[in-house]
Amino acid sequence: NAGVTQTPKFRILKIGQSMTLQCTQDMNHNYMYWYRQDPGMGLKLIYYSVGAGITDKGEVPNGYNVSRSTTEDFPLRLELAAPSQTSVYFCASSPRRGAAQYFGPGTRLLVL
Amino acid sequence: GQQVMQIPQYQHVQEGEDFTTYCNSSTTLSNIQWYKQRPGGHPVFLIQLVKSGEVKKQKRLTFQFGEAKKNSSLHITATQTTDVGTYFCAGAYSGGGADGLTFGKGTHLIIQP
């Protein structure tokens, strides 16, 4: 099993550009999450999903969108990138609510 | 919403010294989990504690869950350079939202050789 995979590993965006961060898991987990982590800081939940077709906002959803058309994939869309979105983005999955979460390697995003 | 407070934010130790990080919740947890993030890496699940007063060990790491299920600690004996990283606790709550876990802000462990 590959676990949770994320692409790209690193990306530089110009202000106002858009992009999609990809996340795929092969563990058949229903729950998936997107976090952002600023340098030296903790994890902030952006969006989460409890199953295909169901998504909900986390703590910091503004400027982002998600979709969950399959169990495996949970892409995160950034519209009109801003310097404040410079961060490391982690995707995670879990078999059920409150269970251990398994993180992908992250995407480092720099918005200039 | 629920909050999990974690202290200290940073801890400098000499190699070979012990290290402890603490987590506290204002409300009862259904379980607490601990994660380790190496510099430049991603959080990795270490352990889950479920029962009141539970103590678990992983080699030099000892994890405790308080009797009231509101606090937890991670203790590392005789730190090594491989222990460097950030340790996060994450609390799970019964009921409430579906977002699963509430993460503490983490403790950065810095080891001086």
Short mmCIF file of all heavy atoms in Angstrom, two decimals, chain B residues 75-99:
data_model
loop_
_atom_site.label_atom_id
_atom_site.label_comp_id
_atom_site.label_asym_id
_atom_site.label_seq_id
_atom_site.Cartn_x
_atom_site.Cartn_y
_atom_site.Cartn_z
N HIS B 75 6.58 11.13 27.75
CA HIS B 75 7.89 11.24 28.39
C HIS B 75 8.90 10.42 27.59
O HIS B 75 8.65 9.26 27.28
CB HIS B 75 7.81 10.72 29.83
CG HIS B 75 9.11 10.80 30.56
ND1 HIS B 75 9.55 11.95 31.18
CD2 HIS B 75 10.07 9.86 30.77
CE1 HIS B 75 10.72 11.71 31.75
NE2 HIS B 75 11.05 10.45 31.52
N ILE B 76 10.02 11.06 27.28
CA ILE B 76 11.10 10.35 26.60
C ILE B 76 12.29 10.27 27.57
O ILE B 76 12.76 11.29 28.08
CB ILE B 76 11.54 11.05 25.30
CG1 ILE B 76 10.35 11.18 24.34
CG2 ILE B 76 12.67 10.27 24.64
CD1 ILE B 76 10.68 11.90 23.05
N THR B 77 12.76 9.08 27.78
CA THR B 77 13.91 8.85 28.66
C THR B 77 15.19 8.87 27.84
O THR B 77 15.24 8.28 26.76
CB THR B 77 13.76 7.49 29.37
OG1 THR B 77 12.54 7.47 30.09
CG2 THR B 77 14.92 7.24 30.31
N ALA B 78 16.19 9.55 28.36
CA ALA B 78 17.52 9.56 27.73
C ALA B 78 17.43 9.89 26.24
O ALA B 78 17.67 9.02 25.39
CB ALA B 78 18.22 8.23 27.97
N THR B 79 17.10 11.12 25.94
CA THR B 79 16.88 11.53 24.55
C THR B 79 18.09 11.25 23.67
O THR B 79 19.25 11.29 24.12
CB THR B 79 16.54 13.02 24.46
OG1 THR B 79 17.56 13.77 25.12
CG2 THR B 79 15.19 13.31 25.09
N GLN B 80 17.78 10.97 22.42
CA GLN B 80 18.81 10.76 21.40
C GLN B 80 18.54 11.74 20.25
O GLN B 80 17.43 12.27 20.13
CB GLN B 80 18.76 9.32 20.88
CG GLN B 80 19.01 8.29 21.96
CD GLN B 80 18.83 6.87 21.46
OE1 GLN B 80 18.50 6.63 20.30
NE2 GLN B 80 19.06 5.90 22.35
N THR B 81 19.53 11.94 19.41
CA THR B 81 19.35 12.91 18.32
C THR B 81 18.22 12.51 17.38
O THR B 81 17.61 13.35 16.73
CB THR B 81 20.65 13.07 17.52
OG1 THR B 81 21.10 11.80 17.08
CG2 THR B 81 21.74 13.72 18.38
N THR B 82 17.93 11.23 17.33
CA THR B 82 16.82 10.77 16.48
C THR B 82 15.45 11.18 17.02
O THR B 82 14.44 11.04 16.32
CB THR B 82 16.85 9.25 16.33
OG1 THR B 82 16.88 8.67 17.65
CG2 THR B 82 18.06 8.80 15.54
N ASP B 83 15.41 11.67 18.27
CA ASP B 83 14.14 12.10 18.85
C ASP B 83 13.75 13.52 18.44
O ASP B 83 12.64 13.97 18.74
CB ASP B 83 14.20 12.03 20.38
CG ASP B 83 14.39 10.62 20.89
OD1 ASP B 83 13.83 9.68 20.29
OD2 ASP B 83 15.11 10.46 21.90
N VAL B 84 14.67 14.21 17.77
CA VAL B 84 14.38 15.59 17.36
C VAL B 84 13.11 15.65 16.51
O VAL B 84 12.88 14.80 15.65
CB VAL B 84 15.58 16.16 16.56
CG1 VAL B 84 15.17 17.41 15.80
CG2 VAL B 84 16.74 16.45 17.47
N GLY B 85 12.30 16.67 16.76
CA GLY B 85 11.09 16.86 15.98
C GLY B 85 10.03 17.56 16.81
O GLY B 85 10.32 18.07 17.90
N THR B 86 8.84 17.58 16.28
CA THR B 86 7.71 18.17 16.97
C THR B 86 6.73 17.08 17.34
O THR B 86 6.38 16.25 16.51
CB THR B 86 7.02 19.22 16.08
OG1 THR B 86 7.98 20.20 15.69
CG2 THR B 86 5.88 19.90 16.83
N TYR B 87 6.32 17.09 18.59
CA TYR B 87 5.39 16.09 19.10
C TYR B 87 4.02 16.75 19.30
O TYR B 87 3.90 17.75 20.02
CB TYR B 87 5.90 15.49 20.40
CG TYR B 87 7.16 14.68 20.19
CD1 TYR B 87 8.41 15.29 20.16
CD2 TYR B 87 7.09 13.30 19.97
CE1 TYR B 87 9.56 14.55 19.91
CE2 TYR B 87 8.23 12.56 19.74
CZ TYR B 87 9.46 13.18 19.71
OH TYR B 87 10.60 12.45 19.47
N PHE B 88 3.03 16.18 18.65
CA PHE B 88 1.66 16.70 18.75
C PHE B 88 0.78 15.71 19.50
O PHE B 88 0.84 14.51 19.25
CB PHE B 88 1.04 16.89 17.35
CG PHE B 88 1.66 17.94 16.51
CD1 PHE B 88 2.63 17.62 15.57
CD2 PHE B 88 1.26 19.27 16.62
CE1 PHE B 88 3.20 18.59 14.76
CE2 PHE B 88 1.82 20.25 15.82
CZ PHE B 88 2.80 19.92 14.90
N CYS B 89 -0.07 16.25 20.36
CA CYS B 89 -1.15 15.43 20.87
C CYS B 89 -2.41 15.80 20.09
O CYS B 89 -2.51 16.91 19.53
CB CYS B 89 -1.37 15.65 22.36
SG CYS B 89 -1.82 17.33 22.82
N ALA B 90 -3.35 14.89 20.04
CA ALA B 90 -4.61 15.13 19.34
C ALA B 90 -5.72 14.45 20.11
O ALA B 90 -5.65 13.24 20.35
CB ALA B 90 -4.54 14.61 17.91
N GLY B 91 -6.71 15.23 20.50
CA GLY B 91 -7.80 14.68 21.28
C GLY B 91 -9.04 14.41 20.45
O GLY B 91 -9.35 15.17 19.53
N ALA B 92 -9.69 13.30 20.75
CA ALA B 92 -10.97 12.97 20.11
C ALA B 92 -12.07 13.14 21.14
O ALA B 92 -11.92 12.74 22.30
CB ALA B 92 -10.95 11.54 19.59
N TYR B 93 -13.18 13.72 20.70
CA TYR B 93 -14.29 14.00 21.60
C TYR B 93 -15.53 13.23 21.16
O TYR B 93 -15.78 13.10 19.96
CB TYR B 93 -14.62 15.50 21.60
CG TYR B 93 -13.51 16.36 22.15
CD1 TYR B 93 -12.49 16.83 21.31
CD2 TYR B 93 -13.48 16.71 23.49
CE1 TYR B 93 -11.47 17.62 21.81
CE2 TYR B 93 -12.46 17.50 24.00
CZ TYR B 93 -11.46 17.95 23.16
OH TYR B 93 -10.45 18.72 23.66
N SER B 94 -16.30 12.75 22.11
CA SER B 94 -17.58 12.12 21.79
C SER B 94 -18.57 13.19 21.37
O SER B 94 -18.57 14.29 21.92
CB SER B 94 -18.11 11.37 23.01
OG SER B 94 -17.22 10.37 23.42
N GLY B 95 -19.42 12.87 20.43
CA GLY B 95 -20.41 13.84 19.97
C GLY B 95 -19.75 14.96 19.21
O GLY B 95 -18.64 14.85 18.70
N GLY B 96 -20.39 16.08 19.13
CA GLY B 96 -19.82 17.25 18.47
C GLY B 96 -19.70 17.07 16.97
O GLY B 96 -20.40 16.26 16.38
N GLY B 97 -18.78 17.79 16.34
CA GLY B 97 -18.64 17.76 14.89
C GLY B 97 -18.00 16.49 14.38
O GLY B 97 -17.48 15.69 15.14
N ALA B 98 -17.99 16.34 13.08
CA ALA B 98 -17.46 15.13 12.46
C ALA B 98 -15.99 15.25 12.09
O ALA B 98 -15.46 14.37 11.45
CB ALA B 98 -18.27 14.79 11.21
N ASP B 99 -15.35 16.36 12.52
CA ASP B 99 -13.99 16.56 12.06
C ASP B 99 -12.95 15.76 12.82
O ASP B 99 -11.77 15.90 12.57
CB ASP B 99 -13.65 18.06 12.05
CG ASP B 99 -13.92 18.72 13.38
OD1 ASP B 99 -14.81 18.25 14.11
OD2 ASP B 99 -13.25 19.71 13.69
#
